[in-house]
Amino acid sequence: MPKDPKSVLTTTLSHTLTNRATLSRLRTLSLPPPHATDFSSNDFLSLATSPLLRRSLLAELAAHPTHPLGSGGSRLLDGNSPYAETLEATIAHYHSAPCGLLFNSGFDANTGFFACVPQPGDVVVYDEYIHASVHEGMRSSRASACLMFAHNSLASFRAVLEGVEARQGRSVFVAVESLYSMDGDLAPLAELVAIADEVLDGGALFTVDEAHATGVVGAGGRGLVSLLGLEERVFARLHTFGKALACNGAIILTDATTRQYLINYARPLIYTTSLSFPSLAAITASYTLLRSPHAAALQSHLHTLTAHLHRRLATLPPAPQTLTLPPVRPTPILALFTPQPRSLAAHLQTRGIVARPIVFPTVPKGTERVRICVHAGNTVEDVEALVEAVREWVVGQARGSKI
Ligand SMILES: Cc1ncc(COP(=O)(O)O)c(C=O)c1O
């Protein structure tokens, strides 16, 4: 009797999962503990729980009582609407870009863009820490080469560009993030652009993923490109709505021809149902809030709190084997480097604080950390409690106790 194919597959899958667990790399879904203080999520402005955003969303829905709720299909068939087109134009205008194209997620946007826009013979040069979605796009790309440079290293960037053979008609794309999700550092964008101008005849086509910077960096949360005034020097920007904006979806800001090209060739846009009306209304409500003094106050509190956290962390007893503090930066993502991130995160959890251990392969070996995200909804007391809990853990580790 031949073996049941389902049981053969189940055995294989189980083996793989067991091996993964043995390597301490098993991923599982978990629910956030109730009433815990959030130092983990990407909800940087705490808009996910903002009564103001909720009211604004409900008002936006009420203002369009007959708008179909479902989008009705792919954007290319029945899923387009004047509402979606107006929203794209409004967001593009907010970020001083010629136009924008909505995607259901940042993952779809990056995958679609990098799979179709670089042409045969083109080269993509990318930062070592670029997001998995860009890698996913590059895997199906027709570019003749995808070349990595060391994270945020100007010397490495220059060396990689100098190795790219100039060819008639060849474009060089550069893929960077503005605010890196695991270290909280900003790309040296102006310097990268200057190097590309120097090394390549005609410069490079920069694509900047502003996923973590959206709502957080620059005036009105417009992002790093806007902060540096580099709108004219960047070929495409990605803003995602799932982090500080507490929604879902993303937009690629670029020129009209590239937008039209994406509409024709970006498979994650073409072969999927477009964002539903409630999703579009939520994005509208979030952008309306971003323009308001309320959002400016949230951003200001977030930055003040982050600076306070750095100052308080600096008062911890030195513990070189146990904990390395992050460099002081004006961004709400901080890495507490430690060889025992799970132990530190578990201790924080006993004190009612959620912060996640981040280990290989998400970050390079030797850079394991607990990732701390500060939120506009956190208070000075929350920061004090966090630092106190870290102090307890550091002292406990020094005494060799298992707290
Ligand atoms: C840098 C970066 N780009 C893109 C994405 C994907 O965005 P989304 O969550 O909208 O799919 C993420 C999400 O984690 C991200 O961190």
Side-chain angles (χ1 to χ4, degrees):
M1 172 99 174
K3 276 196 177 168
D4 164 28
K6 182 165 179 281
S7 78
V8 172
L9 176 66
T10 307
T11 309
T12 308
L13 300 185
S14 303
H15 269 302
T16 309
L17 289 171
T18 308
N19 284 344
R20 193 161 201 168
T22 312
L23 295 168
S24 303
R25 287 193 205 154
L26 190 67
R27 295 179 161 122
T28 53
L29 297 179
S30 64
L31 293 170
H35 313 302
T37 306
D38 178 14
F39 275 108
S40 172
S41 80
N42 294 321
D43 180 26
F44 300 109
L45 295 179
S46 300
L47 292 186
T49 50
S50 158
L52 206 61
L53 180 60
R54 188 174 294 257
R55 276 202 299 279
S56 169
L57 167 58
L58 294 176
E60 186 63 19
L61 292 171
H64 299 83
T66 58
H67 199 291
L69 288 176
S71 76
S74 159
R75 192 82 191 277
L76 279 83
L77 299 174
D78 303 294
N80 196 21
S81 64
Y83 192 95
E85 292 195 348
T86 305
L87 179 58
E88 282 176 337
T90 307
I91 297 175
H93 183 252
Y94 187 72
H95 294 278
S96 304
C99 38
L101 184 64
L102 290 165
F103 283 78
N104 289 0
S105 72
F107 196 96
D108 282 358
N110 271 337
T111 318
F113 181 94
F114 283 96
C116 78
V117 175
Q119 300 293 300
D122 288 351
V123 172
V124 182
V125 175
Y126 64 93
D127 186 285
E128 179 184 6
Y129 287 3
I130 202 77
H131 192 254
S133 50
V134 174
H135 283 282
E136 200 66 21
M138 289 192 300
R139 265 191 217 171
S140 354
S141 167
R142 295 165 299 158
S144 67
C146 296
L147 309 170
M148 184 184 91
F149 66 97
H151 174 57
N152 270 354
S153 162
L154 299 179
S156 171
F157 180 64
R158 179 184 287 277
V160 171
L161 285 193
E162 284 175 348
V164 174
E165 195 191 320
R167 244 190 243 162
Q168 186 66 25
R170 160 174 280 178
S171 297
V172 177
F173 289 79
V174 175
V176 293
E177 290 177 27
S178 46
L179 170 54
Y180 285 90
S181 59
M182 292 298 152
D183 290 73
D185 50 346
L186 295 164
L189 194 55
E191 291 83 348
L192 294 171
V193 170
I195 290 173
D197 283 349
E198 204 187 306
V199 176
L200 303 172
D201 190 19
L205 299 173
F206 276 80
T207 65
V208 182
D209 182 335
E210 300 254 31
H212 284 88
T214 307
V216 171
V217 174
R222 284 176 175 81
L224 183 66
V225 171
S226 159
L227 179 70
L228 299 175
L230 289 172
E231 292 93 336
E232 304 282 321
R233 302 305 324 275
V234 167
F235 176 65
R237 279 175 271 172
L238 173 74
H239 287 277
T240 65
F241 312 132
K243 303 186 193 296
L245 300 195
C247 303
N248 274 115
I251 193 165
I252 290 188
L253 304 175
T254 188
D255 60 74
T257 307
T258 308
R259 180 178 186 273
Q260 188 64 27
Y261 190 85
L262 287 166
I263 290 170
N264 278 272
Y265 293 103
R267 294 169 69 84
L269 175 89
I270 300 167
Y271 297 107
T272 194
T273 302
S274 61
L275 291 166
S276 66
F277 176 60
S279 298
L280 298 175
I283 298 163
T284 302
S286 248
Y287 265 90
T288 306
L289 200 75
L290 265 197
R291 274 190 226 100
S292 74
H294 179 69
L298 292 178
Q299 280 152 4
S300 162
H301 177 61
L302 180 62
H303 294 309
T304 307
L305 214 52
T306 304
H308 182 68
L309 174 56
H310 278 291
R311 277 196 303 277
R312 299 292 294 121
L313 284 172
T315 67
L316 290 175
Q321 307 300 319
T322 315
L323 186 77
T324 306
L325 297 180
V328 177
R329 299 187 178 111
T331 71
I333 303 173
L334 291 80
L336 297 179
F337 297 99
T338 170
Q340 295 108 25
R342 289 197 174 89
S343 163
L344 173 55
H347 177 68
L348 295 180
Q349 192 156 344
T350 65
R351 298 295 182 263
I353 293 165
V354 186
R356 307 277 173 198
I358 312 284
V359 297
F360 177 81
T362 305
V363 291
K365 279 187 181 148
T367 71
E368 291 77 14
R369 80 273 316 257
V370 169
R371 177 180 184 251
I372 303 288
C373 288
V374 186
H375 306 98
N378 290 132
T379 60
V380 170
E381 290 73 31
D382 292 341
V383 167
E384 296 300 328
L386 170 65
V387 175
E388 192 44 42
V390 175
R391 184 189 308 278
E392 282 173 357
W393 182 79
V394 168
V395 170
Q397 292 294 113
R399 286 199 196 115
S401 77
K402 292 194 172 168
I403 57 171

